[in-house]
Amino acid sequence: MSKVLYVHAKGGPPAGYALTRVAARAAVHLLALSELPATVAADAGRRCASVVTALDAQGRDLVELITARAREVGADAVITFSEYAVVAVAEASRRLGLRGAGPAAALARDKRLMRAAWERRGIPQPRFRGVTTATELERAASTLSFPLLLKAAWSAGSTAHQIIETAGDVRDAWQRSRAVMAESALLGFAELHVAGACEDFIVEEIVSGCAEEWFDGSGWGDYVSVEGVVVDGVFRPVCLSGRMPTVAPFTERAGITPAAVGSGAQIRIVELARRAVDALGLENCGTHTEIKLGADGRMWVIETAARFGGAMTVPQIEEVFGLDLVGMFTDQLLGGEPAWPARALTPEDAEGAAGSLVVLAVNGDGSPWPRRHLWDSATVVRSAPVGAGSTLSVVRESSLPDGTPVPVYDPAAGANTMAGLCLLSADRPQTVVRDFTALVDALPRILPTDITEGAPA
């Protein structure tokens, strides 16, 4: 039986979901660079051939750690689904002579390198500058048009995003973004391989989206992600995922599979994603490419990644299209030839629709909840105002324990202040948008109030 070294770190699809599917294809040797969710840790010994933890990996020679462990177990492939470990795993695989994302993996991780590669190819994107100091940010801001978006070059999940409205906002935005990246590193949401990555940022112009011209229905956000894979250097699109409008500044609230765009629009979107991925020179990896949709058919590539979409994107694809992307990609790394779709799948190819909602302490209009509440998954599932044909569940691995106070939403921290992750199955994409809109409105009514709020210490 083939052997796979599975490198676990924060991010990506739920670890329990991914680990189960890799283990169905090969003997798994687990290398945990961050703490495993309790439910996964309890089962890992039974599901894996070996389990090694290295929670102090940040700052170490991570590539050497992965390479040495892969040699110890005789791994035929090294796999990760984490944004924070993808570069190290790609380099380790290259040293071992195994299939992987290849030497260009950093171009799909460092937003500065990514944007520069696209600039050379003339791919439409927001105007940008790379910055590493407050002085560089001030200089860059003077050459761009406000409003601007400052974000960390190696971040994920909208962490450390700051909108800069005027030149007077530059210094405060710089200090806040750097502080959030430092806090995120302590939580394990930081690049593991590149020293000093928390100091690298880009600032870009904010382009205006226009969802109404692209989607069949209301309530959609103005961007999509193209989910795909690169097979021996060739991009293979799988499908499009849509979004609900983000929470300021740009924190994702919900992802929906499939995206309800027309066939002509999907063809154009996929072609732009293909150009963006091809420009990076990747070899074998999942891809997740975000594209902003504007008026009059305009589009801009925001970013791509050399891994599958995080949260519940991959499970949603399996539910509606019947494709086990994790298992298929494992087969690919092991030298197989899985049956990737011949073209990007559409809503007409789907069996229903699925979506995931990040629970944040903000209303539908982005305003904060007036009171603090406690997270209670059973109450959410029992009382959520979803349609009769819809099924709602809570992804416990990605949610706080019941009874935990829902964090106050911090625009700079993004998804770091989430309380829970909900998964919905429905008959069509527009139903998911409708049900999630109703759920967002209902959450502060149905969740129990935190009676300790304001109590004397």
Side-chain angles (χ1 to χ4, degrees):
M1 190 177 191
S2 298
K3 300 175 183 177
V4 170
L5 180 65
Y6 183 114
V7 180
H8 166 75
K10 295 279 189 178
Y17 170 91
L19 187 59
T20 299
R21 283 150 181 79
V22 176
R25 301 303 213 279
V28 175
H29 294 268
L30 178 61
L31 176 60
L33 306 181
S34 61
E35 188 174 357
L36 290 163
T39 54
V40 178
D43 197 42
R46 179 183 63 83
R47 195 173 298 281
C48 301
S50 70
V51 178
V52 171
T53 58
L55 304 186
D56 60 343
Q58 194 166 10
R60 297 172 60 182
D61 187 339
L62 187 55
V63 174
E64 179 56 32
L65 173 67
I66 296 170
T67 303
R69 183 59 185 155
R71 287 182 174 134
E72 286 175 5
V73 303
D76 301 296
V78 183
I79 197 166
T80 190
F81 300 102
S82 168
E83 180 85 354
Y84 306 113
V86 71
V87 176
V89 166
E91 176 58 19
S93 297
R94 189 189 66 79
R95 291 187 187 180
L96 293 162
L98 303 175
R99 277 185 167 184
L107 274 67
R109 183 74 181 95
D110 183 341
K111 296 175 178 62
R112 300 165 304 171
L113 299 177
M114 183 189 307
R115 295 294 189 83
W118 291 342
E119 194 170 47
R120 290 191 293 270
R121 297 288 189 94
I123 292 171
Q125 60 179 317
R127 293 178 65 214
F128 74 99
R129 298 288 186 274
V131 296
T132 57
T133 67
T135 299
E136 288 182 4
L137 177 58
E138 289 177 326
R139 189 179 304 121
S142 70
T143 68
L144 300 171
S145 298
F146 292 99
L148 303 173
L149 177 63
L150 175 67
K151 55 187 178 184
W154 299 83
S155 68
S158 303
T159 302
H161 282 24
Q162 288 279 289
I163 292 178
I164 304 174
E165 299 284 357
T166 69
D169 300 328
V170 167
R171 289 277 172 173
D172 285 346
W174 176 254
Q175 294 299 333
R176 182 62 184 133
S177 286
R178 291 188 70 224
V180 169
M181 286 305 296
E183 293 164 6
S184 295
L186 294 176
L187 296 172
F189 295 101
E191 172 61 31
L192 293 168
H193 174 49
V194 178
C198 290
E199 303 295 322
D200 301 330
F201 290 79
I202 68 166
V203 61
E204 64 185 40
E205 295 180 347
I206 297 176
V207 293
S208 298
C210 183
E212 294 78 14
E213 294 187 14
W214 294 85
F215 289 92
D216 300 328
S218 61
W220 293 85
D222 57 10
Y223 72 109
V224 294
S225 58
V226 180
E227 321 302 345
V229 65
V230 178
V231 180
D232 294 332
V234 178
F235 175 61
R236 303 289 296 272
V238 173
C239 67
L240 268 62
S241 294
R243 301 292 189 279
M244 289 177 67
T246 57
V247 179
F250 290 103
T251 302
E252 293 185 358
R253 192 195 287 273
I256 298 109
T257 308
V261 299
S263 58
Q266 173 156 322
I267 289 171
R268 293 183 54 232
I269 292 168
V270 169
E271 182 53 34
L272 179 56
R274 185 186 306 279
R275 290 175 57 198
V277 173
D278 287 350
L280 303 182
L282 301 169
E283 295 180 0
N284 287 279
C285 59
T287 62
H288 173 76
T289 307
E290 296 181 352
I291 295 177
K292 183 89 165 183
L293 308 174
D296 303 319
R298 293 194 68 189
M299 295 182 287
W300 302 267
V301 185
I302 302 301
E303 61 188 48
T304 196
R307 45 87 182 163
F308 295 126
M312 297 301 288
T313 302
V314 173
Q316 289 165 203
I317 291 171
E318 182 169 12
E319 178 173 341
V320 302
F321 292 119
L323 295 175
D324 173 8
L325 297 189
V326 170
M328 294 168 71
F329 183 58
T330 303
D331 285 343
Q332 179 179 318
L333 291 184
L334 291 171
E337 297 182 357
W340 299 107
R343 55 167 175 80
L345 302 174
T346 70
E348 287 70 35
D349 299 308
E351 291 290 333
S356 48
L357 176 78
V358 175
V359 177
L360 301 166
V362 289
N363 298 310
D365 61 3
S367 61
W369 291 352
R371 301 198 63 181
R372 297 292 302 275
H373 293 270
L374 301 176
W375 175 245
D376 190 311
S377 55
T379 295
V380 171
V381 172
R382 181 177 62 250
S383 305
V386 301
S390 302
T391 303
L392 183 74
S393 61
V394 169
V395 184
R396 292 188 178 273
E397 180 184 317
S398 304
S399 303
L400 296 175
D402 287 346
T404 304
V406 175
V408 174
Y409 176 64
D410 181 348
N416 286 1
T417 52
M418 66 182 284
L421 185 64
C422 298
L423 179 66
L424 184 85
S425 301
D427 59 344
R428 61 194 186 99
Q430 195 63 43
T431 303
V432 178
V433 174
R434 181 201 68 197
D435 286 349
F436 277 165
T437 300
L439 178 56
V440 168
D441 291 339
L443 280 169
R445 297 196 307 270
I446 64 179
L447 285 174
T449 301
D450 184 358
I451 60 173
T452 65
E453 181 185 13

